[in-house]
Amino acid sequence: MALEYKSFSKALGETVKTGIIKSNLIAVFTGLCMALYVYDASIPGNLLSIIFSLIGSSFVIGAAGAFNNLFDRDIDAIMERTKTRPTVTGQVDTRTGLLLGILLTAAGTGLLLLASPMAAFFALLGLFLYMVPYTMWTKRRTVYNTEVGSISGAVPPLIGWSVISHDYTHPGIWALVVTMILWQMPHFYGIAIRRFDEYKAAGVPMLPVVKGIERTYLQTNIYLIMLAASSFLFWPFSPIVAGIVFIINMTWLILSFTSFNKAEPKIWSHKMFMFSIQHIVMVYFIIIVFSFIAKALK
């Protein structure tokens, strides 16, 4: 296998998965904005905590990416989309990767403790859930690895919420957590079908590889129906947000029904994957914008 070397800064960026950091930071910020509105908290009064939480979260999320890349080097070397990762080519060796992950975890936790001890707790919980139950245990053993991984993927809003409040009784934050859990299955099923041959070669038991495309299509729609129903969990936070999120979720379900073709499942999976990105960005955007506008009007 030909090795592809990059600048060291770029190699470190790929090791910590900067794209994943950015997407998860938006989720952290969304949970934070919800809490700012719900508890009518002052942004200037919480500015340092907000800054510490965003930087600290990015460090811990980056650490998770580094640890994951190190652990998955063997299967990453087989898959086309991951075979040039620095941890596979050797540009970032085991010692460097471990040191990077440990330093980022320590620095991120320290900053989050300055923002909120509970924010630090949820960040470390997310890191643990991503590395142990998902990466080290279920990813290579069971078709339900996606469901297990979705739990860690839904932790970021709780980090942001915790910066402003330690009251977890408000249904709004749990509506966002549930949305993120359910969103991840159709999203990753789309990836799994697009990369079917690669996952099969690497021996990763993704749903379409083990159970087939039709089972994946059925299960995708079940999760999309659940996602549409979960829209109304946002009602106590805002009926307007609940209604808009319901429309977005129903649009995704209709897209799944109308675009599926047994003969061309990869076309369907590509459409589903692309819409999944647009979907979660729209949900975040709606919640953030509503929170700022509604807070200003209070």
Side-chain angles (χ1 to χ4, degrees):
M1 180 184 68
L3 300 183
E4 182 180 315
Y5 284 88
K6 306 150 187 178
S7 68
F8 192 62
S9 60
K10 183 179 180 181
L12 290 180
E14 291 188 9
T15 301
V16 300
K17 302 184 180 181
T18 51
I20 301 297
I21 292 175
K22 292 174 185 176
S23 61
N24 279 280
L25 273 185
I26 298 173
V28 173
F29 188 65
T30 304
L32 193 152
C33 289
M34 290 183 79
L36 283 171
Y37 162 64
V38 169
Y39 298 102
D40 197 19
S42 163
I43 295 175
N46 291 281
L47 188 58
L48 274 180
S49 294
I50 292 171
I51 293 171
F52 287 150
S53 69
L54 294 176
I55 298 174
S57 296
S58 68
F59 285 174
V60 176
I61 296 164
F67 290 138
N68 175 263
N69 275 343
L70 283 175
F71 192 83
D72 280 349
R73 285 171 296 175
D74 56 335
I75 58 176
D76 283 346
I78 298 170
M79 300 180 67
E80 188 67 28
R81 71 183 179 91
T82 57
K83 69 180 184 181
T84 60
R85 282 178 174 170
T87 45
V88 175
T89 63
Q91 190 174 5
V92 173
D93 58 22
T94 302
R95 181 176 179 277
T96 302
L98 280 174
L99 184 61
L100 178 63
I102 291 169
L103 288 176
L104 286 174
T105 301
T109 302
L111 287 170
L112 284 164
L113 283 170
L114 293 175
S116 161
M118 285 303 294
F121 166 77
F122 279 118
L124 291 175
L125 176 63
L127 175 62
F128 170 80
L129 292 172
Y130 182 65
M131 284 310 304
V132 179
Y134 173 64
T135 300
M136 295 181 179
W137 180 33
T138 60
K139 184 174 181 178
R140 306 179 189 218
R141 290 177 172 83
T142 172
V143 72
Y144 296 108
N145 56 39
T146 307
E147 281 81 355
V148 173
S150 71
I151 301 172
S152 62
V155 170
L158 288 165
I159 300 173
W161 182 277
S162 299
V163 175
I164 306 302
S165 173
H166 292 171
D167 177 11
Y168 303 100
T169 60
H170 194 282
I173 183 59
W174 297 110
L176 183 55
V177 169
V178 169
T179 294
M180 291 185 66
I181 289 174
L182 295 174
W183 170 85
Q184 288 177 84
M185 267 65 77
H187 171 73
F188 285 109
Y189 292 161
I191 296 174
I193 293 175
R194 295 173 71 202
R195 300 288 181 175
F196 181 95
D197 295 334
E198 295 177 43
Y199 281 114
K200 185 176 182 180
V204 180
M206 298 300 287
L207 183 65
V209 174
V210 177
K211 300 291 186 178
I213 301 297
E214 290 194 29
R215 165 66 180 274
T216 305
Y217 171 68
L218 174 62
Q219 202 152 309
T220 294
N221 290 331
I222 290 173
Y223 279 118
L224 289 177
I225 291 169
M226 292 169 64
L227 187 63
S230 73
S231 307
F232 296 100
L233 295 175
F234 284 106
W235 196 272
F237 173 71
S238 163
I240 295 173
V241 170
I244 296 173
V245 171
F246 176 74
I247 292 170
I248 296 171
N249 290 339
M250 285 302 299
T251 301
W252 196 3
L253 178 61
I254 292 168
L255 174 67
S256 178
F257 283 146
T258 58
S259 63
F260 183 72
N261 185 333
K262 291 182 182 179
E264 297 289 348
K266 287 192 176 182
I267 295 176
W268 171 77
S269 68
H270 178 72
K271 291 180 179 178
M272 294 294 286
F273 170 75
M274 294 304 297
F275 189 85
S276 72
I277 301 297
Q278 298 169 32
H279 171 282
I280 201 65
V281 169
M282 286 188 287
V283 171
Y284 292 155
F285 178 78
I286 289 160
I287 293 172
I288 291 169
V289 170
F290 173 84
S291 296
F292 276 114
I293 293 176
K295 178 174 168 54
L297 295 175
K298 272 190 175 182

